[in-house]
Amino acid sequence: MKGRISNMKKVKPGIENYDEWRKILKGKKVGLITNPTGVDSTLKSTIDILQKEVELVKLFSPEHGVRGDIQAGEAVDNYVDQETKLPVYSLYGKNKKPSGDMLKGIDVLAFDIQDVGSRLYTYLYTMSYCMQSCGEEGITFLVFDRPNPIGGIKVEGNLIKEGFTSFVGLHPIPYRYGLTIGEAAIFFQEEFDISCELKVIPMLGWERHMYYEDTGLPWIMPSPNMPTVDTAVVYNGTCIFEGSNISEGRGTTKPFEFVGAPWLDEAQLANRMNEYGLKGVLFRPVCFTPVFSKHAGELCKGVQLHVIDRSDFCAVKTGLFLLEEIKRLSGDSFSYLEPYTSKGKPMIDYNTGSDYIRTHNFSAKSLYRVWEREAGEFQRRKKKYHIYQ
C-alpha cells in the first residue's frame, strides 16, 4: 500500500488552484457553501483558507450541516458557526434556494463540496438553486472543482421524467452522470437555462478515468452514510431501497453495501443473485442489526455486495436485479414507503424518476435496456461540457 500511494498522481482540488481564484475574489465580499469535505490536500479547510485571503462574510449550510453533524433528512436551521463566528444560513429546510436577503452584501457566492457522482445527492441541487439565485441577484457564482469519486467516464441509469423532480432529482440526469461538480454546474447552466455569471476553478492533475483513490487525496465522508469510496461505488444501485421497507444498511458500518430485511433468507438471496452472473460483483449472505433507520434493533438477513471489478460493475443494473429478486422472495412482506406528505409522491417515484417501478411488475432485464438507451443519449450530450480529458 505504501508503494501504491507514493506512486499516485497527486491531484490538487480547485481550492489549491490559487492563481485562478485569487484574481476573481480579490476585493470581493464572499459567501461560501461548504461542509467538512471543503479542504485542501493537507486537510486545511476552505473556510480557513478564504478567511486569510479574502473577505469571507457568510457561510451557507447544505444537508448535514457545515460541520457534517446532522443526519440525512434532518432540517438545518440558521445559526452562528462557533469556530469562525460567521453567520450560517441553512439551505436544507425551509429555504433550499437562498433568498435575496440571505445573499445581501455578497459579491461572489463560492461552492466547495465533495460530491459522490450520484443524481440523488442533494448537494447538486443546492448548487443549482444557488446558481439560480445568483443569476436573479446579479452575484457571481464560483465553484471550486473536485473529483467525481467514481470517475468521469461511465454513465448509468434513466432520466427523471416530467412531474417527478424533487430535491433528490431536480434535473433530468441519470443516476451516474460522469461529470465533476464543476462540469455539472456548466451543464446545468447551459442545458437548463440558468442565467448566472459562473466561474469554475478547475482541479490540477485530474483525469476522467480516476476513481478517488487514484487522486492521492484523503477521503472525507461527504455525508454520515458515505464512509468510503466503496460505498459511493455501490450507492447508485442500492439507493433504490431507500424507497422501500428493505434496509439499505443505514445504521450499520456498511451502508449501501448491506441490503436486507428480517424476513429474508440470506443464503437463498445470495445464491439467486450470484446465479445471474452480473459482471464485477459477488453477493455474500450476511446478517446485520441496524442501530438506527429502518428495522433498528432488529436482525436483518440479506446480502453484502462485493465489487470485484469496478470497470465491469454496473451499480444501477445490479440494483434493479436485486430489487426484483427481493420483491419475489419477500412476497406480501415487501412494500414501498408511503409519501412523506399528502401532496407528495412515494420516495421510490422520486428516487427512480417515474412511477413505473412502483406500478408495474417490472422485469429488471427489460427495464434496464430502456434505461441504457437513456444513459447513452446523456453520455453523448455531456461530452461537450468536459473540462478534463
Side-chain angles (χ1 to χ4, degrees):
M1 180 59 75
K2 287 182 180 179
R4 182 189 173 193
I5 291 175
S6 64
N7 291 327
M8 280 181 184
K9 191 168 186 177
K10 191 75 169 183
V11 171
K12 292 186 177 181
I15 188 59
E16 291 188 54
N17 195 349
Y18 287 91
D19 291 342
E20 289 295 318
W21 61 259
R22 275 177 175 149
K23 59 189 177 186
I24 298 172
L25 299 184
K26 184 178 180 180
K28 306 292 186 182
K29 291 183 178 179
V30 180
L32 176 64
I33 311 154
T34 195
N35 69 3
T37 65
V39 295
D40 69 8
S41 58
T42 68
L43 300 181
K44 186 175 182 180
S45 79
T46 297
I47 297 173
D48 292 341
I49 293 169
L50 292 186
Q51 267 202 312
K52 290 183 178 180
E53 294 270 349
V54 302
E55 189 177 357
L56 185 63
V57 295
K58 293 181 182 180
L59 299 176
F60 293 83
S61 171
E63 184 179 6
H64 307 298
V66 167
R67 303 295 175 183
D69 54 352
I70 300 169
Q71 271 292 345
E74 293 185 22
V76 181
D77 295 323
N78 297 338
Y79 60 99
V80 174
D81 180 57
Q82 291 303 304
E83 293 188 30
T84 63
K85 308 306 179 186
L86 291 173
V88 181
Y89 294 88
S90 171
L91 299 177
Y92 191 78
K94 291 185 296 183
N95 298 305
K96 292 182 172 64
K97 181 180 177 181
S99 65
D101 285 342
M102 292 165 70
L103 296 176
K104 191 174 181 179
I106 292 175
D107 301 310
V108 180
L109 182 59
F111 181 98
D112 194 12
I113 294 177
Q114 176 61 58
D115 195 29
V116 299
S118 172
R119 78 163 181 225
L120 294 178
Y121 248 55
T122 61
Y123 302 151
L124 273 179
Y125 312 117
T126 293
M127 180 178 73
S128 180
Y129 278 136
C130 288
M131 289 170 63
Q132 294 171 40
S133 292
C134 284
E136 293 162 6
E137 301 297 325
I139 294 169
T140 300
F141 189 78
L142 181 146
V143 180
F144 293 108
D145 209 4
R146 289 191 171 272
N148 184 322
I150 56 175
I153 297 174
K154 201 168 184 179
V155 170
E156 299 177 33
N158 65 323
L159 303 181
I160 297 169
K161 302 300 181 285
E162 187 174 351
F164 291 89
T165 59
S166 71
F167 204 44
V168 292
L170 189 62
H171 300 302
I173 62 175
Y175 280 102
R176 182 176 183 176
Y177 50 84
L179 297 167
T180 68
I181 195 77
E183 291 173 335
I186 299 170
F187 184 93
F188 288 176
Q189 182 182 45
E190 296 298 324
E191 296 280 330
F192 308 128
D193 298 321
I194 300 175
S195 179
C196 74
E197 184 183 7
L198 174 65
K199 304 287 185 182
V200 175
I201 307 301
M203 295 175 281
L204 301 173
W206 191 76
E207 299 171 11
R208 304 206 75 80
H209 65 86
M210 289 180 171
Y211 279 79
Y212 201 86
E213 296 97 335
D214 301 321
T215 67
L217 296 171
W219 175 256
I220 311 292
M221 292 193 302
S223 63
N225 293 290
M226 193 59 61
T228 67
V229 182
D230 286 340
T231 320
V233 170
V234 301
Y235 178 74
N236 280 311
T238 53
C239 61
I240 199 168
F241 293 99
E242 291 181 325
S244 76
N245 64 345
I246 304 298
S247 171
E248 67 279 7
R250 288 184 187 272
T252 76
T253 58
K254 294 286 185 181
F256 302 103
E257 294 181 63
F258 288 169
V259 175
W263 57 83
L264 288 169
D265 181 322
E266 68 275 20
Q268 185 182 29
L269 178 59
N271 288 337
R272 291 278 190 92
M273 290 306 300
N274 284 323
E275 285 172 1
Y276 283 119
L278 296 170
K279 291 183 179 181
V281 63
L282 293 175
F283 298 86
R284 181 177 69 89
V286 69
C287 296
F288 59 92
T289 303
V291 297
F292 63 86
S293 195
K294 284 178 278 185
H295 306 301
E298 293 184 78
L299 180 67
C300 291
K301 292 167 282 185
V303 293
Q304 180 178 356
L305 282 71
H306 290 268
V307 177
I308 57 174
D309 189 333
R310 287 181 179 178
S311 62
D312 279 342
F313 176 62
C314 181
V316 174
K317 182 178 183 180
T318 300
L320 285 178
F321 274 83
L322 186 56
L323 176 61
E324 182 182 30
E325 194 59 53
I326 284 178
K327 281 185 64 183
R328 183 180 294 119
L329 295 177
S330 294
D332 292 340
S333 296
F334 179 89
S335 66
Y336 292 113
L337 301 181
E338 294 296 318
Y340 292 135
T341 66
S342 59
K343 295 182 179 179
K345 293 180 172 63
M347 180 63 183
I348 189 67
D349 293 5
Y350 292 130
N351 184 304
T352 58
S354 79
D355 63 0
Y356 185 87
I357 291 257
R358 179 174 55 85
T359 59
H360 289 72
N361 187 22
F362 70 94
S363 157
K365 186 176 181 180
S366 298
L367 183 57
Y368 186 69
R369 288 199 195 102
V370 176
W371 285 18
E372 209 170 18
R373 289 195 293 270
E374 294 183 25
E377 186 273 334
F378 183 87
Q379 178 75 274
R380 290 187 290 273
R381 283 168 56 205
K382 85 178 184 83
K383 287 182 178 178
K384 64 181 178 180
Y385 303 106
H386 288 180
I387 299 173
Y388 316 90
Q389 297 301 311

